[in-house]
Amino acid sequence: MTETNCAPDDVGAAAQTPYFSCDGSRFVPNQIGRGGWGPSLSGHVVGGLLGWAVERAVDDPQLLPARLTVDLPAPAALEPIELRTTVHHDRRRLRLVEAVLTQGGSPVARGSALFLRRGAQPEGRVWSPDVQMPPLPVDDGVHQTLFMRTYGWGAELQNPDPDWVESSGPKYTWLHETRSLIDGEPLTAFTRAAMAADITASLANWGTNGLQFINADYTLTLSRLPEGPHIGMASLTHHSHDGVATGSAVLVDRNGPVGSAVSVAIAHSGFRPAQVNSTNE
């Protein structure tokens, strides 16, 4: 087990406030990372930090981050976070890495990642459902939310083009994360995907009365890393009974599908996404 430290902040200030600033071995969240369920960090910020940590534990570019499972057993407060990573298995074709976020000495989130070695693609074709995404959004610099620039689902705040989807029908979104996760560090493709996958719970579980399920965990799977700043998501399934929900979505980039995500959630009320008044907040 190793303690994961912040990189020195010598790259210069980001154009926008990052989700985390560095203080030695601690990651200090900024208010912009607050989620929609009260005074705690958004799940996509927590998942992004776990994804960032496990990726740093692998220095072989031929190892693909093929699976990341994020457990969210407790709300992560807007307080400093410490992070530790452990490599559990390191073999020729795979590496299994775990990261744990702690606050006040207690774990608040855990991530487990499986890295697989790239190789020759087998011949033949395997059936997979076709995904028809809305077109990539025009980057007009206007529409922005607390979490990401989103298009095509949810409340009016996050849906500049309501003709794309109705809350009772299939959900689609293009995500464009516009700020750094950690001060002075650019987002990697895997970190973008780790943050986007948290949206699965909202995408799959949003209904005629809004969002009434809170994420308990999510799993991201990738067959390749996404290319470019936009990650698209299309809801695949939603099933819920007795206040427990499962949902899934496919992830795409501008070239097509890259993987999928599944979320497990529990009934909860009070989701209130906050607006951002300035692009530099």
Side-chain angles (χ1 to χ4, degrees), residues 98-251:
E98 181 185 54
V100 179
L101 305 185
T102 62
Q103 290 183 318
S106 298
V108 294
R110 187 183 309 269
S112 171
L114 179 65
F115 291 75
L116 298 178
R117 186 166 299 282
R118 295 174 172 89
Q121 175 70 7
E123 295 183 358
R125 290 183 292 179
V126 180
W127 178 88
S128 183
D130 188 32
V131 179
Q132 297 294 328
M133 290 291 297
L136 276 166
V138 176
D139 190 4
D140 57 12
V142 175
H143 297 110
Q144 184 174 335
T145 73
L146 172 63
F147 306 111
M148 303 180 182
R149 293 191 59 190
T150 66
Y151 310 80
W153 68 272
E156 182 179 355
L157 167 67
Q158 296 171 310
N159 190 7
D161 190 350
D163 294 333
W164 282 3
V165 66
E166 295 181 0
S167 61
S168 60
K171 310 295 191 301
Y172 306 89
T173 185
W174 283 103
L175 305 172
H176 180 193
E177 180 55 76
T178 56
R179 66 182 72 246
S180 297
L181 179 69
I182 299 169
D183 196 10
E185 293 200 19
L187 288 174
T188 68
F190 180 57
T191 301
R192 285 186 182 278
M195 299 175 78
D198 174 70
I199 307 300
T200 302
S202 302
L203 196 69
N205 298 327
W206 198 290
T208 55
N209 289 334
L211 183 59
Q212 299 192 86
F213 292 93
I214 189 171
N215 214 1
D217 74 19
Y218 68 87
T219 295
L220 164 70
T221 63
L222 294 172
S223 60
R224 65 175 175 86
L225 291 171
E227 298 179 12
H230 289 88
I231 294 180
M233 297 181 67
S235 61
L236 293 176
T237 63
H238 164 85
H239 306 290
S240 58
H241 301 87
D242 300 324
V244 175
T246 67
S248 63
V250 62
L251 277 72

Side-chain angles (χ1 to χ4, degrees), residues 44-121:
H44 91 282
V45 176
V46 174
L49 188 57
L50 289 166
W52 174 86
V54 297
E55 189 176 29
R56 282 170 61 96
V58 178
D59 55 3
D60 186 342
Q62 292 306 309
L63 287 172
L64 170 76
R67 192 266 299 160
L68 172 68
T69 296
V70 173
D71 291 311
L72 302 166
L78 287 158
E79 299 174 359
I81 290 174
E82 294 184 343
L83 198 164
R84 295 185 181 275
T85 58
T86 304
V87 177
H88 288 293
H89 295 280
D90 189 0
R91 301 169 60 184
R92 185 177 67 87
R93 299 187 67 188
L94 66 83
R95 188 174 301 181
L96 183 64
V97 184
E98 181 185 54
V100 179
L101 305 185
T102 62
Q103 290 183 318
S106 298
V108 294
R110 187 183 309 269
S112 171
L114 179 65
F115 291 75
L116 298 178
R117 186 166 299 282
R118 295 174 172 89
Q121 175 70 7

Side-chain angles (χ1 to χ4, degrees), residues 21-33:
S21 300
C22 292
D23 180 14
S25 62
R26 303 191 307 170
F27 299 81
V28 182
N30 293 309
Q31 286 291 325
I32 195 67

